[in-house]
Amino acid sequence: MDEGAGRSVELTIPCASCGSIELLAHTMMCASCVKERIVLARVPDTMQYMQCRGCSHIETPRQGWQVMEEEALWSHLIETHLELDADVTNPVIGWKVTPLDNRNHRIDITISAHFGPFALETDVRTLARSSMGSCEACSRKSGNYFEATVQIRSTGRELEVEEIDDMMVHLREMVLKKDRDPMWFITKEGEVKGGYDIVVGSKTLARQYVMKLIAEYGGTSRESHTIVGRREGEDVTRATIVYRHPGMSAGDVLEDGNQRLWRINRMTQKGAEMLAVDRHQRRGMVWNELERLVVVAQQRTIKRVDVLRRDEGAIDFLDPHRWEVVTIAKPWDDDGGENVAVVLIDVEWVALPEVNVHADLR
Ligand SMILES: [Zn+2]
Ligand SMILES: [Zn+2]
């Protein structure tokens, strides 16, 4: 037939499936045939995931082991299992979860979407099923795996049990944090001669913990490595980090190798500023030097006593333990004030120079 220019022609095509003449999708099918013959969404009967026996971590397809809230788990499982027809557009997916038992949850999924010009809705049903496993971190943990050892040591004196407990609180908080690296666990810990050793699953954990200790208590650290093998052409190493707690703070009294007493005026970045107890002398000591001194009295054991009488070189005061008058040499910085700081070293009272911080004022 000859169709001249300018003449309008109405094209009418029947549905490829039922032959009815109405609005068709690009597949040449009418709305009711699309509903009948096109599968908008498919989902397998079950969607598997694994739960770690040792911790709450969950393993899902493509994501490995991790902490996962239930809502995120369902959403991820649906996202990785639900298949929509390639011609579906603007899908809106909703679901309802019904727990069946410990391992199974029924999930009813509703999909609203467009297929060509038609708005359609469909439901599919599936089961989310968990099985028990052991994540990498938990298998390593139960195999006594470790990457690093933190050795807590101290300068000047032994640490008290309460001080160690206090330091361990920080580490326990770190390994209990919800979104931590799963390798952040304590393999072993215990008292050793001169300190406390902690064996952990991760070098990063060890380093961050020691950084925290330094920020909180001061002190220094030193890290060393041991090669324990090779994996994929790389050395596998274990780290040992020695954390040296200062064991001392401003106001403490220390004895050096020549039996001379020093009082800490203040702690510094490199060590401490020290005041000699027996004469007018002030000098800085670095950690290396401080490590050779012994703390003979901590600030909290220092007493402040009233001066009953003073002369050129001595003061009298009442021994706070035995209620007897004691005479001792004046501190070199005596300013004639009402009271003086004293400390009992072995069995003798010693008057102390005042420290910068006046931390001993009670
Ligand atoms: Zn049709
Ligand atoms: Zn685990």
Side-chain angles (χ1 to χ4, degrees), residues 1-10:
M1 296 248 288
D2 182 66
E3 287 171 13
R7 269 202 286 156
S8 74
V9 174
E10 212 157 76

PDB file of all heavy atoms in Angstrom, residues 1-10:
ATOM      1  N   MET A   1       0.843  -1.204   0.000  1.00  0.00           N
ATOM      2  CA  MET A   1       0.000   0.000   0.000  1.00  0.00           C
ATOM      3  C   MET A   1       0.868   1.239   0.000  1.00  0.00           C
ATOM      4  O   MET A   1       1.860   1.320   0.700  1.00  0.00           O
ATOM      5  CB  MET A   1      -0.894  -0.008   1.257  1.00  0.00           C
ATOM      6  CG  MET A   1      -1.871  -1.165   1.249  1.00  0.00           C
ATOM      7  SD  MET A   1      -3.562  -0.645   1.055  1.00  0.00           S
ATOM      8  CE  MET A   1      -3.950   0.086   2.599  1.00  0.00           C
ATOM      9  N   ASP A   2       0.460   2.171  -0.760  1.00  0.00           N
ATOM     10  CA  ASP A   2       1.206   3.419  -0.835  1.00  0.00           C
ATOM     11  C   ASP A   2       0.769   4.372   0.270  1.00  0.00           C
ATOM     12  O   ASP A   2      -0.403   4.665   0.431  1.00  0.00           O
ATOM     13  CB  ASP A   2       0.978   4.050  -2.228  1.00  0.00           C
ATOM     14  CG  ASP A   2       1.779   5.315  -2.370  1.00  0.00           C
ATOM     15  OD1 ASP A   2       3.015   5.206  -2.377  1.00  0.00           O
ATOM     16  OD2 ASP A   2       1.160   6.390  -2.418  1.00  0.00           O
ATOM     17  N   GLU A   3       1.717   4.812   1.115  1.00  0.00           N
ATOM     18  CA  GLU A   3       1.382   5.738   2.195  1.00  0.00           C
ATOM     19  C   GLU A   3       2.082   7.061   1.945  1.00  0.00           C
ATOM     20  O   GLU A   3       3.288   7.167   2.098  1.00  0.00           O
ATOM     21  CB  GLU A   3       1.812   5.174   3.550  1.00  0.00           C
ATOM     22  CG  GLU A   3       0.914   4.034   3.998  1.00  0.00           C
ATOM     23  CD  GLU A   3       1.452   3.310   5.221  1.00  0.00           C
ATOM     24  OE1 GLU A   3       2.382   3.828   5.861  1.00  0.00           O
ATOM     25  OE2 GLU A   3       0.938   2.236   5.513  1.00  0.00           O
ATOM     26  N   GLY A   4       1.332   8.062   1.539  1.00  0.00           N
ATOM     27  CA  GLY A   4       1.905   9.363   1.201  1.00  0.00           C
ATOM     28  C   GLY A   4       2.321  10.136   2.425  1.00  0.00           C
ATOM     29  O   GLY A   4       1.842   9.892   3.524  1.00  0.00           O
ATOM     30  N   ALA A   5       3.244  11.092   2.238  1.00  0.00           N
ATOM     31  CA  ALA A   5       3.729  11.917   3.338  1.00  0.00           C
ATOM     32  C   ALA A   5       2.604  12.767   3.889  1.00  0.00           C
ATOM     33  O   ALA A   5       1.720  13.181   3.159  1.00  0.00           O
ATOM     34  CB  ALA A   5       4.881  12.803   2.861  1.00  0.00           C
ATOM     35  N   GLY A   6       2.609  13.001   5.242  1.00  0.00           N
ATOM     36  CA  GLY A   6       1.623  13.871   5.859  1.00  0.00           C
ATOM     37  C   GLY A   6       0.386  13.145   6.335  1.00  0.00           C
ATOM     38  O   GLY A   6      -0.387  13.684   7.103  1.00  0.00           O
ATOM     39  N   ARG A   7       0.196  11.930   5.941  1.00  0.00           N
ATOM     40  CA  ARG A   7      -0.988  11.213   6.411  1.00  0.00           C
ATOM     41  C   ARG A   7      -0.675  10.455   7.695  1.00  0.00           C
ATOM     42  O   ARG A   7       0.352   9.807   7.798  1.00  0.00           O
ATOM     43  CB  ARG A   7      -1.475  10.249   5.327  1.00  0.00           C
ATOM     44  CG  ARG A   7      -2.503  10.919   4.407  1.00  0.00           C
ATOM     45  CD  ARG A   7      -3.357   9.918   3.710  1.00  0.00           C
ATOM     46  NE  ARG A   7      -2.628   9.234   2.643  1.00  0.00           N
ATOM     47  CZ  ARG A   7      -2.981   8.030   2.196  1.00  0.00           C
ATOM     48  NH1 ARG A   7      -3.982   7.376   2.739  1.00  0.00           N
ATOM     49  NH2 ARG A   7      -2.325   7.477   1.217  1.00  0.00           N
ATOM     50  N   SER A   8      -1.574  10.580   8.694  1.00  0.00           N
ATOM     51  CA  SER A   8      -1.310   9.890   9.962  1.00  0.00           C
ATOM     52  C   SER A   8      -1.778   8.450   9.872  1.00  0.00           C
ATOM     53  O   SER A   8      -2.816   8.161   9.299  1.00  0.00           O
ATOM     54  CB  SER A   8      -2.007  10.604  11.121  1.00  0.00           C
ATOM     55  OG  SER A   8      -3.383  10.349  11.077  1.00  0.00           O
ATOM     56  N   VAL A   9      -0.990   7.605  10.431  1.00  0.00           N
ATOM     57  CA  VAL A   9      -1.320   6.179  10.407  1.00  0.00           C
ATOM     58  C   VAL A   9      -1.369   5.671  11.841  1.00  0.00           C
ATOM     59  O   VAL A   9      -0.474   5.931  12.636  1.00  0.00           O
ATOM     60  CB  VAL A   9      -0.250   5.379   9.616  1.00  0.00           C
ATOM     61  CG1 VAL A   9      -0.518   3.888   9.732  1.00  0.00           C
ATOM     62  CG2 VAL A   9      -0.259   5.819   8.178  1.00  0.00           C
ATOM     63  N   GLU A  10      -2.396   4.987  12.228  1.00  0.00           N
ATOM     64  CA  GLU A  10      -2.473   4.420  13.571  1.00  0.00           C
ATOM     65  C   GLU A  10      -2.034   2.963  13.524  1.00  0.00           C
ATOM     66  O   GLU A  10      -2.611   2.157  12.818  1.00  0.00           O
ATOM     67  CB  GLU A  10      -3.894   4.516  14.103  1.00  0.00           C
ATOM     68  CG  GLU A  10      -3.892   4.705  15.602  1.00  0.00           C
ATOM     69  CD  GLU A  10      -5.186   5.344  16.050  1.00  0.00           C
ATOM     70  OE1 GLU A  10      -6.169   4.604  16.072  1.00  0.00           O
ATOM     71  OE2 GLU A  10      -5.199   6.553  16.366  1.00  0.00           O
TER      72      GLU A  10
END
